[in-house]
């Protein structure tokens, strides 16, 4: 058990990226036993009853399995899979569901990559996200639109930059659609992280972190995460900070470094 009272934030760890030598349910148990909340990706590949039985607190999960924000046939599939995801989130008592600008394959690449996003696409995405927000309100679940980087991990993804996600979220203007501000992706794509946090603060529903380069735990790369933590604290944010990072070595040491980075001094 780690001393999580050292952090003013709600710290969570993505079970997809640590304790990789263990079966998935055992990873969740290990994270929970250490005192952290848990985040998961594609729920269709999981034993939901077994996850619920661990007693872990789940803070976010993937909120769709099919579809996108832009194409007529795909929008319906997105809304249907978001509805199905909500039902699973209820079983796990998970408050937040994650979205991207388009569907991603198993390698994180967009299923329908785009080289250009037109004005009509912006309008279509806005209208789709309005429907997503209404769905979240009906079921009291918050959807999170995550920024991604297109240089390294997700080339061809539309609405990937922080400013893109912020523009859409602020236009929808609903408490049931917020930003998952992923600082790993933001560092690669934009930098200037503290200003991004300050600018985005009213719309942040979650912060996700990993260091650059390598997408490993805080303290392994170039991002000054203790400074980030203090800046985030200064905005008044006290919500979820999720470590979505590969462990550089021992997973227990990785989550300990994560905790140290987000223990505001």
């Amino acid at each position: 058990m780690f001393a999580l009272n050292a952090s003013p934030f709600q710290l969570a760890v993505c079970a997809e990226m640590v304790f990789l030598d263990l079966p998935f349910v055992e990873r969740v148990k290990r994270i929970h036993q250490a005192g952290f909340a848990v985040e998961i990706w594609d729920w269709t590949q999981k034993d939901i009853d077994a996850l619920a039985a661990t007693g872990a607190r789940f803070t976010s999960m993937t909120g769709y399995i099919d579809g996108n924000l832009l194409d007529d046939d795909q929008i319906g599939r997105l809304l249907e899979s978001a509805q199905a995801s909500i039902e699973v989130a209820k079983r796990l008592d998970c408050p937040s569901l994650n979205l991207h600008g388009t569907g991603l394959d198993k390698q994180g690449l967009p299923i329908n990559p785009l080289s250009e996003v037109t004005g009509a696409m912006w309008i279509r995405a806005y209208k789709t996200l309005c429907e997503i927000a209404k769905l979240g309100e009906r079921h009291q679940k918050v959807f999170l639109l995550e920024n991604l980087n297109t240089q390294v991990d997700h080339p061809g993804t539309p609405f990937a930059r922080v400013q893109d996600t912020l523009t859409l979220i602020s236009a929808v203007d609903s408490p049931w659609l917020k930003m998952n501000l992923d600082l790993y992706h933001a560092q690669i794509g934009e930098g200037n992280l503290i200003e991004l946090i300050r600018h985005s603060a009213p719309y942040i529903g979650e912060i996700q972190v990993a260091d650059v380069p390598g997408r490993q735990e805080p303290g392994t790369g170039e991002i000054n995460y203790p400074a980030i933590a203090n800046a985030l604290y200064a905005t008044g944010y006290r919500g979820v900070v999720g470590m979505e990072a590969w462990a550089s070595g021992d997973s227990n040491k990785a989550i300990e470094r994560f905790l140290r980075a987000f223990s505001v001094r």
Side-chain angles (χ1 to χ4, degrees):
M1 180 70 70
F2 294 89
L4 267 70
N5 58 359
S7 176
F9 309 109
Q10 301 172 46
L11 300 185
V13 174
C14 179
E16 312 281 350
M17 304 177 81
V18 296
F19 300 113
L20 298 182
D21 58 324
L22 298 176
F24 194 81
V25 172
E26 294 304 314
R27 298 182 209 173
V28 170
K29 289 179 180 178
R30 187 71 62 89
I31 294 167
H32 174 56
Q33 290 165 359
F36 294 83
V38 177
E39 300 192 344
I40 64 172
W41 293 343
D42 181 1
W43 55 265
T44 65
Q45 306 299 314
K46 310 292 192 295
D47 184 337
I48 303 304
D49 289 336
L51 292 180
T54 64
R57 183 168 69 93
F58 295 90
T59 49
S60 79
M61 52 178 274
T62 299
Y64 71 111
I65 35 177
D66 200 6
N68 64 39
L69 302 174
L70 299 173
D71 303 312
D72 286 338
D73 61 328
Q74 295 291 319
I75 290 170
R77 292 163 73 175
L78 175 69
L79 293 172
E80 288 176 8
S81 68
Q83 176 69 63
S85 299
I86 283 173
E87 298 308 316
V88 174
K90 289 177 181 178
R91 291 166 62 188
L92 294 177
D93 195 23
C94 181
S96 299
L97 298 102
N98 207 46
L99 291 173
H100 307 106
T102 188
L104 304 176
D105 65 19
K106 291 182 179 180
Q107 286 72 47
L109 299 175
I111 295 171
N112 295 306
L114 295 174
S115 59
E116 179 184 8
V117 179
T118 66
M121 290 176 180
W122 278 96
I123 294 170
R124 184 72 57 86
Y126 161 74
K127 290 181 177 179
T128 305
L129 289 170
C130 285
E131 294 302 311
I132 286 287
K134 291 176 184 176
L135 184 63
E137 183 175 13
R138 283 199 298 274
H139 295 276
Q140 303 291 287
K141 298 293 182 184
V142 176
F143 281 88
L144 303 171
L145 186 62
E146 181 183 4
N147 63 291
L148 300 172
N149 79 78
T150 57
Q151 293 93 325
V152 176
D153 299 286
H154 307 286
T157 300
F159 316 112
R161 290 168 58 87
V162 172
Q163 188 57 55
D164 298 338
T165 58
L166 183 59
T167 296
L168 288 167
I169 291 164
S170 61
V172 174
D173 194 24
S174 167
W176 304 101
L177 178 69
K178 291 183 174 291
M179 176 187 292
N180 178 356
L181 178 54
D182 189 306
L183 297 178
Y184 162 79
H185 292 305
Q187 174 69 1
I188 292 173
E190 294 149 270
N192 201 21
L193 297 185
I194 288 176
E195 277 305 310
L196 285 179
I197 288 169
R198 290 169 177 165
H199 184 56
S200 306
Y203 301 98
I204 294 173
E206 177 172 345
I207 297 286
Q208 284 188 334
V209 302
D211 222 328
V212 178
R215 202 174 186 179
Q216 296 176 333
E217 74 270 12
T220 56
E222 67 192 18
I223 301 176
N224 184 348
Y225 270 116
I228 294 290
N230 282 298
L232 187 61
Y233 182 84
T235 69
Y237 183 79
R238 301 294 184 271
V240 174
V241 177
M243 188 183 86
E244 192 181 50
W246 306 108
S248 61
D250 179 77
S251 291
N252 282 304
K253 291 181 179 177
I255 61 177
E256 183 178 5
R257 294 180 85 172
F258 168 50
L259 172 58
R260 286 204 306 268
F262 282 89
S263 300
V264 173
R265 295 160 180 82

